[in-house]
C-alpha cells in the first residue's frame, strides 16, 4: 500500500538537488577564482571528497520502527473492518434482490415497480456509502504517510545536528535509484533508535 511510498524521497528530486549543489559549488569556485582566490584543483577535489554520505534502509526501518508498525496495524484493522461492513451490506442487498425475484411472479405491476425502485435506491445509497468510506480511508492513509514523513524528517535533522553528513539518502531494495551501497555508510539502526526513543517520549 503506502509502504512503497513511505519515507522514500523521489530519486529524481535527489538527483536534481545534487545537480544544484554541484552547480552552486562550480559557481562558488568561479567567483572565488575571479576574486583572486587561487586554490589549486587538488585542494578543491579534497574538499569535495570530504563530503560524507549516508543512507537509511527503508525496509529495515519499517520492520523495526515501533510507531510505524503500531499505526500500520491500526490502519489495516480499519480497512478490514470497512471491508467486512461493506460485505455485510452487499449480502443484505443481494438477499433482498433474491427475495424480490422469487416474489415477482405473484406481485402486481405497481408492487413490482415499487419494490424495484426501493431496491435501486438502497443500492445507490450503498454505493455512496462505499465511496465515502473509501475516501475516509484514503484520507487517513495520507495523514498516516504525512505524519511518518514528518517524524522521519525531524529525526534526521536531530540525528545530523552536528552536520556530520552532507547527504542522507533513502534506500529500498528494488525501488531505489541507488545502484550500490556500502554498509559502512548505513545509519538505519541509529535512526531507528532515535525514532523509537522519540515516539516513546511522546506517549
Amino acid at each position: 500500500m503506502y509502504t512503497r511510498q513511505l519515507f522514500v524521497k523521489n530519486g529524481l528530486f535527489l538527483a536534481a538537488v545534487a545537480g544544484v549543489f554541484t552547480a552552486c559549488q562550480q559557481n562558488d569556485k568561479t567567483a572565488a577564482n575571479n576574486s583572486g582566490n587561487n586554490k589549486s584543483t587538488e585542494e578543491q577535489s579534497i574538499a569535495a571528497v570530504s563530503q560524507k554520505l549516508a543512507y537509511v534502509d527503508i525496509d529495515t526501518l519499517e520492520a523495526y520502527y515501533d510507531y510505524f508498525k503500531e499505526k500500520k496495524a491500526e490502519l489495516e484493522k480499519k480497512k478490514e473492518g470497512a471491508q467486512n461492513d461493506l460485505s455485510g451490506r452487499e449480502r443484505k442487498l443481494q438477499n433482498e434482490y433474491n427475495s424480490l425475484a422469487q416474489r415477482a411472479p405473484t406481485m402486481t405491476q405497481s408492487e413490482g415497480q415499487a419494490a424495484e425502485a426501493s431496491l435501486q435506491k438502497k443500492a445507490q445509497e450503498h454505493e455512496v456509502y462505499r465511496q465515502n468510506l473509501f475516501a475516509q480511508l484514503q484520507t487517513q492513509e495520507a495523514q498516516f504517510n504525512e505524519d511518518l514523513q514528518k517524524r522521519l524528517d525531524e529525526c534526521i535533522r536531530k540525528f545530523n545536528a552536528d552536520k556530520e553528513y552532507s547527504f542522507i539518502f533513502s534506500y529500498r531494495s528494488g525501488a531505489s535509484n541507488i545502484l550500490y551501497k556500502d554498509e559502512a555508510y548505513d545509519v538505519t539502526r541509529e535512526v531507528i533508535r532515535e525514532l523509537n526513543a522519540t515516539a516513546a517520549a511522546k506517549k
Side-chain angles (χ1 to χ4, degrees), residues 146-190:
E146 183 179 350
D147 177 50
L148 289 170
Q149 186 63 62
K150 182 179 178 181
R151 286 170 178 264
L152 180 60
D153 290 343
E154 291 175 350
C155 175
I156 292 297
R157 282 195 294 270
K158 184 176 180 181
F159 171 77
N160 200 40
D162 58 0
K163 300 188 184 302
E164 178 181 0
Y165 300 102
S166 300
F167 291 96
I168 298 179
F169 297 96
S170 64
Y171 172 83
R172 187 190 292 279
S173 178
S176 174
N177 289 330
I178 300 176
L179 300 179
Y180 172 78
K181 59 184 179 70
D182 186 335
E183 292 185 0
Y185 302 99
D186 186 354
V187 297
T188 309
R189 296 291 179 179
E190 293 92 324

Side-chain angles (χ1 to χ4, degrees), residues 4 20 30 37 43 48 51 54-55 57 60 74-76 79-80 106 123 152 170 188:
R4 306 308 296 183
V20 171
T30 301
N37 187 345
E43 290 174 325
Q51 295 172 2
Y55 71 89
D57 188 310
T60 301
E74 289 180 6
L75 191 57
E76 290 294 343
K79 285 187 173 183
E80 183 179 355
T106 64
L152 180 60
S170 64
T188 309

Side-chain angles (χ1 to χ4, degrees), residues 33-110:
N33 288 334
N34 291 337
S35 64
N37 187 345
N38 294 320
K39 282 188 175 181
S40 67
T41 302
E42 182 179 357
E43 290 174 325
Q44 293 170 351
S45 298
I46 293 174
V49 171
S50 66
Q51 295 172 2
K52 293 187 64 177
L53 308 180
Y55 71 89
V56 174
D57 188 310
I58 302 304
D59 293 319
T60 301
L61 187 145
E62 291 176 356
Y64 293 96
Y65 181 20
D66 295 335
Y67 180 80
F68 170 81
K69 293 189 293 182
E70 176 185 336
K71 294 301 178 181
K72 180 183 176 183
E74 289 180 6
L75 191 57
E76 290 294 343
K77 187 175 181 180
K78 287 181 180 179
K79 285 187 173 183
E80 183 179 355
Q83 184 58 55
N84 291 337
D85 181 23
L86 290 174
S87 296
R89 289 170 175 268
E90 289 167 2
R91 282 195 300 270
K92 185 176 180 180
L93 282 173
Q94 185 63 46
N95 290 338
E96 288 190 36
Y97 172 81
N98 293 339
S99 177
L100 175 60
Q102 291 176 353
R103 292 185 294 111
T106 64
M107 299 174 70
T108 65
Q109 183 177 356
S110 60

